[in-house]
Amino acid sequence: MKPSLAITATLVVGIITAVFGFFIGDVRTSRRMINAQIDASIRVKDAVEPLLTTFDQVAPIVRAMNPNAVEFDKVQQLPAEPPNIDGGLLLTSPIPLEQGLNRTLSNFVTDVNMFFTLLDEHRKTTLGRDKAALESLSKGEDFFQKQYFAVLYTPLPPDTEPLKYVPPEGRVVAVTGKPTKNADETAWELPVVDRQGKEKQVPVQRVLRIEKNELMSSGDSNALTLYEKRVERLQTLLKRIQVYEESLKEQLKTQAARSKVFSI
């Protein structure tokens, strides 16, 4: 065989071998990526399913809430502890998920995290801080309908050194009547009621008068108004999630159920 022919044959065989080798390597890498993506989809599906289950359990309760009427029994049915949502675990993966699933999952993690945060806030506020005020409003008694308000506090001794003076803590109360003399007629007392509905007589020296327009400039401070806004936000967010919830379930099911391909 002529040297030129031998060299040509060797080059052709080498090129064919290299191309075939690259092709085999590319196919192997692609197959490994597909299998890794399936594993990632299964992991995400297992992590998301408990969130979807909890969401489906509270959805009927939130949907049935009346923003204009406080229903403590429905609020009591909400979970006392919101589910733990690890956005980093769900959205961070060494292998990118299928594009459609990744987009829907990103929306779900953002929305459901906000939903359960608002749900927890609504439960704690309704059954805690604002419960007495909401009960009073339900009976037609509104704390902020009172005409006069004051801050109730305990004054510090007048001889307190300026550098050691710490402003005392105070609570907002409503004034329910005119000052009257105490039992031994040595000082004036003022009838007040706090936001929990507790009434008592306090020395006038323990209160600071507040103008009503300084305390509230609109109805935003009304506990029932705040309750209404919380329920409306929850119901709006609920509807937004339910638009794509079934699509997310189907995408998770489809991507996690794929059969793995042979890979070496």
Side-chain angles (χ1 to χ4, degrees):
M1 182 180 294
K2 295 181 180 180
S4 58
L5 182 60
I7 293 174
T8 301
T10 301
L11 289 175
V12 170
V13 172
I15 292 173
I16 293 174
T17 303
V19 171
F20 186 72
F22 279 121
F23 176 76
I24 293 296
D26 186 61
V27 170
R28 183 173 60 180
T29 301
S30 298
R31 286 173 172 267
R32 287 180 176 177
M33 287 285 289
I34 292 172
N35 291 339
Q37 190 181 67
I38 294 173
D39 288 335
S41 299
I42 294 173
R43 176 183 59 82
V44 170
K45 179 176 179 291
D46 292 341
V48 170
E49 281 184 338
L51 297 178
L52 288 168
T53 300
T54 305
F55 177 79
D56 289 339
Q57 289 172 347
V58 301
I61 304 172
V62 174
R63 189 166 48 247
M65 285 182 175
N66 182 357
N68 302 313
V70 182
E71 300 165 302
F72 289 106
D73 57 332
K74 286 187 173 64
V75 180
Q76 286 278 11
Q77 295 175 37
L78 300 176
E81 292 293 334
N84 182 32
I85 302 174
D86 191 340
L89 175 66
L90 293 174
L91 298 178
T92 303
S93 174
I95 304 299
L97 299 173
E98 189 272 331
Q99 186 175 2
L101 172 59
N102 193 54
R103 181 169 55 252
T104 308
L105 182 64
S106 297
N107 291 336
F108 174 73
V109 170
T110 301
D111 289 343
V112 83
N113 183 60
M114 184 182 300
F115 178 79
F116 282 117
T117 298
L118 292 176
L119 202 70
D120 185 52
E121 176 190 347
H122 180 60
R123 189 181 195 281
K124 289 178 179 177
T125 302
T126 303
L127 301 180
R129 187 195 69 188
D130 288 353
K131 184 177 182 181
L134 289 169
E135 289 175 336
S136 296
L137 285 167
S138 300
K139 299 175 184 176
E141 304 170 0
D142 187 353
F143 178 83
F144 288 103
Q145 291 300 318
K146 301 291 190 296
Q147 295 299 313
Y148 303 100
F149 297 88
V151 173
L152 177 63
Y153 73 108
T154 300
L156 297 179
D159 58 349
T160 302
E161 297 181 17
L163 293 178
K164 295 182 179 180
Y165 186 88
V166 177
E169 294 185 359
R171 290 185 298 128
V172 175
V173 295
V175 179
T176 59
K178 296 181 178 180
T180 57
K181 291 182 180 180
N182 60 8
D184 55 7
E185 297 189 352
T186 58
W188 293 95
E189 291 183 338
L190 198 63
V192 299
V193 59
D194 61 19
R195 296 187 64 170
Q196 283 70 44
K198 297 179 181 178
E199 299 185 27
K200 59 181 174 180
Q201 297 281 131
V202 297
V204 294
Q205 293 86 355
R206 291 186 55 198
V207 297
L208 294 173
R209 182 181 173 184
I210 302 177
E211 294 293 336
K212 187 173 182 177
N213 60 357
E214 293 288 338
L215 181 63
M216 52 179 274
S217 57
S218 67
D220 291 343
S221 296
N222 185 302
L224 188 56
T225 302
L226 297 176
Y227 177 91
E228 176 183 344
K229 290 181 178 180
R230 290 197 302 271
V231 172
E232 288 176 347
R233 287 187 66 189
L234 282 168
Q235 291 178 338
T236 299
L237 200 51
L238 174 69
K239 292 178 182 178
R240 189 164 78 194
I241 296 173
Q242 288 183 323
V243 168
Y244 59 80
E245 181 187 7
E246 290 305 317
S247 174
L248 174 62
K249 290 179 180 178
E250 186 60 31
Q251 288 174 324
L252 286 170
K253 180 180 177 181
T254 301
Q255 292 300 315
R258 288 184 297 167
S259 299
K260 290 187 176 182
V261 295
F262 175 74
S263 177
I264 57 174

